[in-house]
Amino acid sequence: MRLRAMAKINLGLDVVKRREDGYHEVRMIMQTIHMYDQIDLSKSEEPGIRVKTNLPYLPNNENNLVYKAAKLLMDEFHITKGLDIRLRKFIPVAAGMAGGSSDAAAVMVGVNRMFHLELSMEELADRGTAIGADVPYCIMRGTALAEGIGELLTPLPPLPPCYILVGKPGINVSTKNVYKSLRVDKIENHPDIDGMIDALREGSLTGVTARMANVLEDVTVQTYPVIAEIKQNMIENGALNALMSGSGPSVFGIFDDRRKAEHAYRQLQNTDLVKQIFLTKPFGRRGQ
């Protein structure tokens, strides 16, 4: 079985409060994009889970989220057959694009189908929270409001047609450290998440882009000012707006015109600001 694990961006990211258990309450507008890792699953008569990846620095044991995701379901349903997982990474690692969470989500969907567990999307998402806060969303995909720690999901109308330019500088960011450094009580400007939802319902791309904001930028940009430089480069070259995704360091710009997006791609490619660059489109759920 071959699966695609899709990347996400955050059109809006607000942190409401820090909980006593250390987690943060969030309100985020999540959007899946046409960028994906490829996962091949194969049943085996030999018991156990075996993971192979195309990146030598990624773990191939229980420290990899795909392993954890498979084990979670195989243990619960007492699956005695073995599973071979081949993971080919294309989504940038530690980039604020939920690559690891999406890989885990795809494996859960795949194991559910392969072993005929007959779990619904909601039942899979409930179990996915044990792997990571973004996993339930990565199971659902599309455009959604995420609340709680990210596991409370409300489907939203799709992002209007557009082009999305993604640039990742040659640095990695720890999500845990970013949230640890965030002073929730010091956040002065909270994103207009409700206004963005209204803009999506109206089908207004400019209404969405005008409200794009991410409170985690205040933390990450202080340490890595290159993020602000990438944003500025995209806006100067025709983006309606640009924003850091998740805890960073990836930056995305939204364009309403393909030629502008391709021009911005070439301009950014000719700088030393980014190590990886992609031009893509939004991805919707079935029926969107």
Side-chain angles (χ1 to χ4, degrees):
M1 184 179 290
R2 176 162 288 179
L3 302 146
R4 290 180 175 182
M6 314 294 289
K8 66 84 183 166
I9 54 176
N10 298 90
L11 299 172
L13 195 163
D14 193 13
V15 178
V16 180
K17 67 176 183 179
R18 181 185 172 94
R19 306 194 320 188
E20 289 190 7
D21 62 7
Y23 284 98
H24 289 76
E25 295 269 345
V26 296
R27 292 192 86 218
M28 308 183 289
I29 306 291
M30 313 275 270
Q31 175 63 52
T32 312
I33 61 173
H34 275 282
M35 179 193 297
Y36 58 87
D37 294 338
Q38 183 176 292
I39 296 173
D40 291 308
L41 300 182
S42 304
K43 277 185 192 176
S44 170
E45 293 301 321
E46 182 185 347
I49 300 166
R50 291 161 292 277
V51 178
K52 290 183 179 178
T53 79
N54 62 327
L55 298 179
Y57 54 82
L58 289 181
N60 58 5
N61 53 23
E62 63 276 3
N63 293 319
N64 194 311
L65 292 186
V66 297
Y67 187 108
K68 290 181 179 180
K71 189 174 189 301
L72 182 79
L73 292 180
M74 293 173 77
D75 284 356
E76 179 182 351
F77 289 89
H78 309 292
I79 296 169
T80 55
K81 289 187 182 293
L83 184 69
D84 291 289
I85 304 172
R86 185 182 177 199
L87 169 62
R88 296 189 68 202
K89 291 289 296 179
F90 299 100
I91 302 170
V93 176
M97 302 185 74
S101 295
S102 191
D103 295 339
V107 167
M108 292 184 74
V109 169
V111 168
N112 186 44
R113 288 182 195 159
M114 182 170 276
F115 295 100
H116 309 290
L117 306 183
E118 299 183 2
L119 294 169
S120 68
M121 197 75 75
E122 292 74 19
E123 289 170 328
L124 277 179
D126 287 344
R127 289 162 171 80
T129 307
I131 306 293
D134 283 342
V135 174
Y137 166 74
C138 292
I139 290 171
M140 187 178 85
R141 299 178 173 175
T143 313
L145 169 67
E147 298 176 286
I149 63 169
E151 86 288 9
L152 303 175
L153 300 169
T154 305
L156 295 173
L159 183 66
C162 60
Y163 299 89
I164 300 171
L165 180 61
V166 179
K168 179 186 181 287
I171 51 177
N172 294 334
V173 170
S174 163
T175 299
K176 184 178 179 181
N177 289 342
V178 170
Y179 274 100
K180 192 175 178 181
S181 301
L182 181 69
R183 294 287 303 276
V184 179
D185 57 323
K186 299 294 184 184
I187 297 173
E188 294 181 0
N189 298 308
H190 288 272
D192 182 9
I193 299 295
D194 292 330
M196 184 175 283
I197 293 170
D198 290 339
L200 286 165
R201 287 177 176 149
E202 293 163 8
S204 171
L205 182 62
T206 53
V208 172
T209 56
R211 293 172 173 84
M212 281 167 42
N214 180 348
V215 298
L216 299 183
E217 281 190 344
D218 292 343
V219 176
T220 312
V221 172
Q222 281 186 8
T223 309
Y224 303 108
V226 65
I227 293 167
E229 293 180 58
I230 298 170
K231 286 179 61 178
Q232 188 62 31
N233 183 284
M234 289 183 180
I235 292 168
E236 287 176 355
N237 285 291
L240 296 174
N241 206 347
L243 192 69
M244 182 182 83
S245 184
S247 56
S250 293
V251 174
F252 67 92
I254 293 184
F255 297 78
D256 59 1
D257 180 270
R258 179 170 186 158
R259 285 174 298 178
K260 287 181 188 174
E262 290 173 344
H263 170 75
Y265 178 99
R266 292 190 294 270
Q267 294 299 112
L268 188 59
Q269 196 175 36
N270 289 331
T271 71
D272 59 0
L273 297 175
V274 294
K275 187 174 181 182
Q276 293 168 281
I277 183 170
F278 308 86
L279 182 56
T280 186
K281 293 180 180 181
F283 176 89
R285 290 182 301 278
R286 284 181 186 175
Q288 283 195 335

